Amino acid sequence: MKRTSPKIGGYGALLAAALLLAGPAQAELTMTQRATLIEPRAVKLRMLLLQQKTSPPAIEKDADEALQRAEEFWRSGQSFQALVALGVLQKYAPMAELPFIKVQLLLAAIAQNERNNELTSHHRAWAQALVKAINTSGNGTSEQSAYRLVLANELAGWVLAQSDTHTLVGQQTLEKNGRKYTVVQLKSTDGTSRRVYFEVMNKPAVPRKSAAPAAPRAPQTLHTAPLGSLASTAPR
């Protein structure tokens, strides 16, 4: 009997709709080319996380808990249950486009284990596009040019994506001019080291609605008051 789930039952159709190109043309694209095509969509979905009613820390908690459950299922050979565990994150984006680097890398690993080359390439390209979205936010060489993270846990995904060529050897948090940064020390396979700076974006404030103009009032006699008798209201 075929297994289905209301959480992921439409995953295949969702993926088909999300693919930017189809057929042989897509198969000929390199991973970098795929990621470049996906990047605008990845950027949009990352930024939409800041517009959710759910706070960024709560989104991070959702993603971390879902990922932890999914990884446990995957390691025990239960790929289907791993997908179900990740399905709870579809309140933030479709499964094929979830804007979390580590989630996309796990989906790629699941697809590879199922020998689905197209799905593997799709999710790897999404992970690469999300990394590129971070890389284009700065150059990471100083506080002034720190990479900007939408969620704090994006850092772990970014580091994991570098694991083929770099090893994490240190991490620290520093505060400068009232702003907090995370600095990671990476060592490349050729033995060179570098420090990379990251800063988590602040959630943009929701614009306040303009007050409706007051209705015209009938002329009234003006009564003056002694200085200092009128309370002033400080702006919020």
Side-chain angles (χ1 to χ4, degrees):
M1 181 180 294
K2 184 178 180 180
R3 297 170 297 182
T4 59
S5 164
K7 299 279 187 188
I8 64 170
Y11 178 38
L14 214 87
L15 175 66
L19 293 177
L20 298 175
L21 295 172
Q26 186 174 5
E28 294 172 2
L29 293 177
T30 66
M31 191 62 61
T32 300
Q33 289 171 330
R34 284 178 179 241
T36 299
L37 290 173
I38 293 170
E39 187 179 355
R41 178 71 174 165
V43 169
K44 180 179 180 180
L45 290 179
R46 280 182 74 237
M47 298 308 297
L48 284 177
L49 291 175
L50 292 179
Q51 299 177 27
Q52 296 279 343
K53 292 182 179 179
T54 306
S55 67
I59 295 174
E60 289 177 26
K61 183 179 178 182
D62 283 348
D64 289 343
E65 290 179 350
L67 186 62
Q68 181 179 357
R69 289 193 299 270
E71 287 177 338
E72 290 172 355
F73 282 124
W74 180 64
R75 290 192 184 102
S76 63
Q78 301 180 69
S79 296
F80 179 78
Q81 292 302 324
L83 291 175
V84 173
L86 294 176
V88 300
L89 298 177
Q90 290 186 102
K91 58 186 174 182
Y92 301 119
M95 179 79 87
E97 302 179 315
L98 287 171
F100 310 105
I101 299 170
K102 292 186 73 173
V103 168
Q104 289 293 341
L105 289 173
L106 178 57
L107 286 169
I110 292 172
Q112 184 176 31
N113 191 57
E114 298 293 325
R115 301 181 187 279
N116 189 322
N117 294 334
E118 183 52 52
L119 264 179
T120 302
S121 296
H122 172 80
H123 290 302
R124 284 179 177 172
W126 258 91
Q128 186 170 326
L130 291 167
V131 170
K132 288 182 66 177
I134 294 173
N135 290 348
T136 56
S137 66
N139 61 32
T141 59
S142 67
E143 299 94 338
Q144 293 76 19
S145 59
Y147 290 138
R148 308 294 302 282
L149 303 176
V150 170
L151 303 175
N153 62 4
E154 283 190 308
L155 175 56
W158 187 92
V159 170
L160 180 60
Q162 319 299 317
S163 60
D164 286 345
T165 56
H166 291 80
T167 302
L168 178 66
V169 295
Q171 180 173 326
Q172 68 179 112
T173 301
L174 62 85
E175 187 169 346
K176 189 172 183 180
N177 298 325
R179 297 170 68 167
K180 293 183 178 180
Y181 303 89
T182 299
V183 186
V184 299
Q185 185 83 20
L186 298 177
K187 186 175 183 179
S188 69
T189 51
D190 64 8
T192 59
S193 297
R194 65 182 177 121
R195 288 163 58 89
V196 187
Y197 291 76
F198 296 86
E199 182 182 20
V200 180
M201 297 182 194
N202 292 320
K203 187 170 183 178
V206 178
R208 296 181 180 178
K209 294 182 178 179
S210 301
R217 299 170 59 182
Q220 296 180 355
T221 303
L222 178 63
H223 300 280
T224 60
L227 291 175
S229 67
L230 299 179
S232 61
T233 304
R236 298 181 187 181

